[in-house]
Amino acid sequence: MSDNVIKFRRIEKQPEPPVKKPRGPMPGWVPFAALVAVAIAIYLAKNAGLLGA
């Protein structure tokens, strides 16, 4: 009876290549800190009269 059993084998998949993070080694808080620094620089330049009235 066991001679009539068809044994199925799983199809071997190729391993997927590792996915690289698009952000890189920079921490997540750096863009926020840069934005705050630019805002403070614009504020100080306006108060010093460098950007006009």
Side-chain angles (χ1 to χ4, degrees), residues 3-53:
D3 294 338
N4 294 334
V5 175
I6 299 174
K7 295 186 179 181
F8 291 99
R9 207 173 50 152
R10 282 186 147 196
I11 299 172
E12 295 180 12
K13 295 181 183 177
Q14 295 290 337
E16 295 182 10
V19 179
K20 293 183 179 179
K21 291 183 181 179
R23 228 174 22 168
M26 180 174 52
W29 54 267
V30 172
F32 178 74
L35 187 64
V36 171
V38 168
I40 291 173
I42 291 173
Y43 173 76
L44 292 175
K46 271 191 155 185
N47 282 348
L50 298 175
L51 295 177

